[in-house]
Amino acid sequence: MRGRATRVAAGLALLAGCAVGPDYQRPQVKMTQAFRDQVKPADARSFADLPWWAVFQDETLQGLIVEALKNNYDLRIAIARVEQARAQAGITAAQAYPALATTLGGAYGRGNFLPQQTTPSFGTLTPQPRAAQFNAFASFSWELDLWGKFRRGTEAAIAQFLASEDGRRGVIVTLIAQVATSYVVLCQLDAQLEIAKATTDNYRKTLELYTARLVGGTGSRLEVATGQAQVNDAQATALDLQRQVTDQENQLSYLLGRPPGPIPRGRTLTQFNFPPDIPPGLPSSLLERRPDVHQAEEQLVAANALIGVAKANFFPSFSLTGIAGLATPDLTHLFNGSSFLWSAGGGVNWLAPILQGAQLRGQYDAAWASWQQAEASYEQSVLNAFQEVATSLNDTAALKPVLDEREAQVKSLTEAVELAIDRYQGGISSYLEVTTNQNSLFPAQLNLATVRANRYLALISLYRALGGGWQVPKDETAAQPAASEASAPK
C-alpha cells in the first residue's frame, strides 16, 4: 500500500513538472558587427560604461541631476509602479499554493445549521426550538498545477516586474539626459544673450558715431536711421532671449521637482569638456545595456508565458478540498471529541474545456496576438536603438568641422567689422560697408553658440542612445567626484 502511494506521489510530482506552452527564446534580430561610419574596429569598450557623474564634469550640473533623481515626479511614479509589479508577482505566485481559511463563530436562533448545509430546517410543521450553536473550523482548497498554468502565470508576473524595473531605469536615463540637455540649452541661451547685449552696445557706439557725423555736417539721417534700426533689432533679440532663458529655467525647475525659479550656473558653454575618444562598444551590447530594449524583451517574455496560461485552460483542472473543525450547541463542550467534524474530497472540472471551447480558443488566439505585438515591439526597439546610436555618432563627428568653420567665420567677420569701421572713420568707405559686416557678424555669433551647444547635445544624445546613465550613486558625495578622478571606459 505504501509503495502504491509512493508511485502516485511520484506521478503527481512528474505531472507538476510539466508546463504547457512554448518556452521563451529570444527572437533573431538583424545586427551588424559595428555601427555605421565607425572608423575604429569595434570592441567591448563603450562610452556608456562611464557613470553619468564622470561624463558631466560640471559640479553644478551634477547637483541638479542628483536633485532631479530625488524629486522628479516621473521617477517617483516609476518607482511606485515597480513596487506595484512586485506585489502583483507575489499575488500571482501565491495562487499555486493551497488556500487556507479559519472560522470561529457562534449563533442563536430557530433551526439547525450544520457546516456545508444549504437547506435549513425552517418551514416544517413541527415548531423548531430555539438553540445556540458554536463552531470552529479550518478549511483548505488547492487546485493542482498539473499543466503549469500558475507557473506560467508567475513567470509572466515576474517578467512584468522586471519590465517595470527596466522602465524605472529608462526613466532615470531619460531624466538625466533631459536635465543635461535643458542645462546645456540654458547655457546656450546665456551665451546668446551675452552676444546680443554686447552687439547692442556695439551698435549704440556706431549710432553715436553716425549721430556725431550728422551733427558735424558730414553724415546723413539715413546713417542714423539705419544705426537706430540695428540697435532696435539687437535689443529686441536680447529681450526675446531673456524670455527664453526664463522659460528654460522654469522647464528645468519642473524636471527638478521644484517650483519655477532661477537655476544656478556652473561652466559656460565654451568650458564644457568634450572627450577626445568616444568608443561606442559592440552593437550587441545595446540589447543588454539599454533599458527600453530590455523592458521590451521582458514584456515579450511575459506575453510568451501567458500563451502557456491560455493553453493550460484547455485541460481539465483538478482540485482538493478539506474541512475540519468543532461544532456544538454547548460552548462548554466545544472541545470534546464528540464535537469534531471533518470532510475531505476532490473534484475534476473536465467539462469546462468542452462547454467553453469557443471562449478558451478566443483567449488562446488573443494571447498569441499579444505575443506577436510584443515581438514586433521588441524588434522595433532594437532597430530604434541602432538608429539613435548611428545618428548620434554621426552628429558628434560631423558637428566638429561645422564648429571649426563657424569659429573661422566669426573670426573673419569680427576682423571685417573692425576694418570697416576704420575705413569709415577714415572716409574710405560708406556706412553701408559697416552695416553690412555688422549685420553679418551678429547672426554668425548666434549660430556659433548654437553649433557649440548642438555638439554637446549630440554627446548627451549618444550617451543616452548607448544605454548609459542609469547608474545611481549610493550617496550625493559619490555623484560629485573630482574631474581628475574620472576613469576611462573599461
Side-chain angles (χ1 to χ4, degrees):
M1 185 70 180
R2 180 177 299 176
R4 185 170 182 270
T6 303
R7 289 195 298 272
V8 171
L12 290 176
L14 181 61
L15 286 173
C18 300
V20 297
D23 293 328
Y24 175 75
Q25 292 183 350
R26 174 180 286 178
Q28 296 294 326
V29 294
K30 297 180 181 179
M31 191 178 305
T32 58
Q33 297 297 323
F35 295 105
R36 178 180 177 181
D37 298 330
Q38 186 173 353
V39 179
K40 296 182 179 180
D43 57 31
R45 293 190 312 141
S46 176
F47 179 53
D49 293 333
L50 285 173
W52 57 261
W53 54 90
V55 174
F56 307 118
Q57 297 180 13
D58 182 325
E59 292 185 359
T60 302
L61 176 56
Q62 291 174 356
L64 295 176
I65 293 176
V66 170
E67 182 178 354
L69 293 176
K70 287 183 176 180
N71 302 329
N72 183 263
Y73 287 100
D74 288 336
L75 184 55
R76 290 166 61 181
I77 292 172
I79 293 173
R81 191 175 294 118
V82 171
E83 294 304 316
Q84 180 185 11
R86 187 199 307 272
Q88 186 59 49
I91 294 173
T92 304
Q95 294 177 354
Y97 298 98
L100 304 177
T102 58
T103 302
L104 180 64
Y108 180 82
R110 291 180 60 188
N112 294 325
F113 291 90
L114 296 177
Q116 307 299 324
Q117 178 178 322
T118 58
T119 305
S121 57
F122 288 140
T124 62
L125 296 177
T126 304
Q128 298 296 314
R130 297 180 181 181
Q133 180 173 315
F134 304 94
N135 58 74
F137 290 97
S139 62
F140 85 96
S141 61
W142 184 20
E143 181 178 346
L144 301 179
D145 192 21
L146 300 182
W147 319 115
K149 178 174 66 174
F150 297 137
R151 274 167 289 150
R152 290 297 192 189
T154 302
E155 180 184 349
I158 293 175
Q160 291 289 2
F161 161 66
L162 295 176
S164 67
E165 174 63 22
D166 288 313
R168 180 189 68 85
R169 287 185 172 186
V171 172
I172 291 176
V173 172
T174 301
L175 177 61
I176 291 175
Q178 287 179 333
V179 172
T181 297
S182 297
Y183 184 78
V184 172
V185 172
L186 186 59
C187 292
Q188 171 195 336
L189 294 173
D190 288 341
Q192 291 177 327
L193 180 59
E194 291 300 319
I195 293 170
K197 290 180 178 179
T199 301
T200 302
D201 293 339
N202 292 333
Y203 282 169
R204 285 200 177 103
K205 292 178 182 179
T206 304
L207 177 60
E208 292 174 358
L209 177 61
Y210 291 158
T211 304
R213 286 175 61 84
L214 177 63
V215 173
T218 58
S220 67
R221 296 189 60 83
L222 180 59
E223 295 175 347
V224 174
T226 302
Q228 184 62 55
Q230 288 181 307
V231 172
N232 296 142
D233 177 67
Q235 184 65 31
T237 301
L239 292 173
D240 187 62
L241 286 169
Q242 184 61 62
R243 174 192 64 81
Q244 295 180 51
V245 167
T246 302
D247 290 346
Q248 192 67 21
E249 287 182 327
N250 293 341
Q251 179 182 350
L252 189 50
S253 297
Y254 172 76
L255 294 175
L256 301 177
R258 63 162 78 162
I263 299 296
R265 312 293 202 273
R267 299 186 179 187
T268 62
L269 187 61
T270 57
Q271 293 174 337
F272 285 125
N273 291 331
F274 203 93
D277 182 26
I278 307 177
L282 297 174
S284 58
S285 64
L286 287 181
L287 305 184
E288 304 299 336
R289 188 186 294 111
R290 277 188 57 129
D292 60 331
V293 174
H294 208 258
Q295 181 183 20
E297 184 174 12
E298 291 297 343
Q299 290 171 343
L300 180 59
V301 172
N304 186 84
L306 290 177
I307 294 176
V309 174
K311 189 173 182 178
N313 290 330
F314 286 109
F315 298 90
S317 59
F318 299 83
S319 59
L320 301 177
T321 59
I323 186 170
L326 305 170
T328 178
D330 187 353
L331 183 60
T332 60
H333 296 88
L334 180 63
F335 296 101
N336 288 350
S338 60
S339 64
F340 179 71
L341 303 173
W342 68 271
S343 68
V348 179
N349 185 3
W350 59 275
L351 281 178
I354 300 175
L355 300 178
Q356 301 176 6
Q359 177 182 351
L360 297 178
R361 184 66 192 182
Q363 294 175 352
Y364 183 73
D365 293 341
W368 266 109
S370 297
W371 180 87
Q372 291 171 343
Q373 295 177 49
E375 182 189 33
S377 297
Y378 170 71
E379 294 176 355
Q380 183 183 41
S381 66
V382 174
L383 183 61
N384 179 65
F386 288 139
Q387 178 268 325
E388 288 185 352
V389 172
T391 301
S392 299
L393 280 173
N394 176 66
D395 288 345
T396 54
L399 284 173
K400 178 59 171 66
V402 175
L403 178 61
D404 294 339
E405 294 296 332
R406 289 298 183 186
E407 288 177 342
Q409 179 192 24
V410 169
K411 182 179 180 181
S412 299
L413 287 173
T414 302
E415 183 180 357
V417 169
E418 294 174 353
L419 292 175
I421 293 176
D422 291 341
R423 285 166 59 84
Y424 175 76
Q425 291 177 334
I428 300 177
S429 63
S430 67
Y431 81 96
L432 185 60
E433 185 176 296
V434 176
T435 302
T436 300
N437 285 281
Q438 285 179 331
N439 290 341
S440 298
L441 176 61
F442 185 30
Q445 290 175 319
L446 296 178
N447 287 338
L448 175 58
T450 300
V451 172
R452 280 177 176 158
N454 286 342
R455 186 163 183 252
Y456 202 77
L457 291 176
L459 179 69
I460 298 173
S461 178
L462 176 61
Y463 185 60
R464 184 197 63 80
L466 289 172
W470 55 264
Q471 305 95 331
V472 178
K474 294 182 180 180
D475 50 58
E476 292 187 23
T477 58
Q480 300 180 4
S484 59
E485 296 178 358
S487 58
K490 297 181 179 179

